[in-house]
Amino acid sequence: MQQDDRPSTDSASAFEAQLRASMIELSPTCPELAQLAIEVAERTGSTNGDLLARCQQLRQNTLRLALRQEAGRGRGGRPWLSAPGHSLTFSLAWHFEQPLHALLGLPLACGWALTHALQTLGVPAQLKWPNDILKDGRKLAGLLVETAAAAHGGFWAVIGIGLNLSLPEELEAQIGQPAADARWLAQMPAPRVLASLLPDLLQALQEFSRHGLTPFAPRWNALHAYAGQQVMILDQGQLLHSGRALGIDETGRLLLQDDAGAIQQILAGDVSLRPAKPGAAA
């Protein structure tokens, strides 16, 4: 990358200052930015874990980012590996008045919002059910939503996001599976990238609070990486279902059509979606 005159964001205070400046610049088009508490840590185990531990004390929607996250995790407790300066690892605690069951489709709405924001920034991102974001068929970002009861009613949803900006060879080797990065975004100051992602996410959370997943289902389907393709649904490597991916319904279930034309409705749980191997029955 070419050298430039941008101020360093190697420290939490410098990152936070630049993030706040970028958010102020964007706030006329997204008033929700002004209502967000911001925390930037030099290092932590997990930004999701940090916010979940404090849910009884939180009083406003809170964004927490770590320059170095040492125990990030994804769905099923699997580790999320990242490298300082090469990724964005952050979490957003958002309060909902709705009962817990009403938040079932929230990861899909958040995934759509993040993917849409990335596309706006010029990254050809797509969605993989239930909560991955792909670029060129490889994992670019992951999303984990966890919930906890709020002290004064309702629930906190803690939305954890890990986004690869650039992938050092040693990190890619550690990950051990195909991964993608967004080197175009890596040329921008990281605080500006984060600030640019937030409006879509915050506005999606507001809309989800009012209408649930219903308005997001067709949007999600429009960005589905495997739309119309033969896929397999696996549980710890064991094949559970196979068929043609039709997209999601308004509750977030994946719809698969088998060879006989029957539609199967797949709940997320801890299952994984994979494209069917060439020549495999589906």
Side-chain angles (χ1 to χ4, degrees):
M1 188 188 305
Q2 293 182 343
Q3 289 186 336
D4 58 28
D5 297 324
R6 294 176 304 201
S8 171
T9 55
D10 290 341
S11 71
S13 58
F15 192 107
E16 182 176 341
Q18 291 191 42
L19 176 59
R20 289 183 182 277
S22 295
M23 290 171 66
I24 290 171
E25 183 181 339
L26 294 169
S27 60
T29 59
C30 182
E32 293 86 356
L33 286 169
Q35 307 301 317
L36 198 61
I38 301 169
E39 303 174 358
V40 180
E42 295 282 353
R43 66 169 63 201
T44 193
S46 161
T47 53
N48 256 38
D50 293 345
L51 290 175
L52 284 168
R54 293 164 42 215
C55 276
Q56 293 299 308
Q57 290 78 45
L58 291 177
R59 293 294 180 266
Q60 67 184 110
N61 298 327
T62 301
L63 173 73
R64 182 170 177 81
L65 175 136
L67 300 186
R68 179 189 293 269
Q69 182 171 250
E70 298 175 337
R73 52 197 166 80
R75 216 161 43 98
R78 291 180 284 273
W80 177 269
L81 301 176
S82 59
H86 295 277
S87 61
L88 283 173
T89 51
F90 61 97
S91 298
L92 176 62
W94 191 270
H95 185 260
F96 287 92
E97 297 289 350
Q98 290 87 340
L100 189 58
H101 67 81
L103 306 186
L104 184 62
L106 182 60
L108 294 160
C110 292
W112 172 83
L114 184 59
T115 303
H116 182 263
L118 287 166
Q119 288 195 345
T120 302
L121 292 171
V123 180
Q126 293 181 294
L127 287 159
K128 175 188 170 187
W129 185 86
N131 63 346
D132 286 344
I133 296 170
L134 306 182
K135 174 176 167 281
D136 300 326
R138 299 183 171 203
K139 189 168 180 176
L140 172 67
L143 186 145
L144 175 68
V145 177
E146 299 176 284
T147 57
H152 300 289
F155 288 86
W156 288 101
V158 179
I159 303 142
I161 293 170
L163 170 64
N164 299 326
L165 296 178
S166 59
L167 275 177
E169 289 184 6
E170 59 273 17
L171 178 60
E172 194 165 10
Q174 279 184 280
I175 293 173
Q177 60 183 358
D181 58 23
R183 292 186 180 273
W184 162 247
L185 296 187
Q187 298 177 45
M188 299 168 57
R192 178 69 187 187
V193 175
L194 176 55
S196 299
L197 299 175
L198 289 174
D200 274 296
L201 184 57
L202 300 188
Q203 289 162 3
L205 289 167
Q206 291 275 24
E207 186 175 5
F208 185 91
S209 183
R210 295 190 298 268
H211 305 296
L213 186 63
T214 299
F216 293 97
R219 303 176 202 169
W220 195 99
N221 288 332
L223 300 181
H224 184 197
Y226 298 112
Q229 297 184 31
Q230 298 292 328
V231 300
M232 304 179 294
I233 302 298
L234 307 175
D235 182 3
Q236 297 183 0
Q238 299 298 310
L239 179 64
L240 296 182
H241 306 278
S242 63
R244 186 166 68 93
L246 302 181
I248 63 168
D249 64 15
E250 293 184 355
T251 66
R253 294 174 297 188
L254 180 69
L255 304 179
L256 292 185
Q257 184 177 46
D258 64 23
D259 289 340
I263 305 299
Q264 304 175 73
Q265 300 171 326
I266 313 299
L267 290 170
D270 191 29
V271 299
S272 300
L273 180 149
R274 297 286 186 273
K277 297 177 181 178

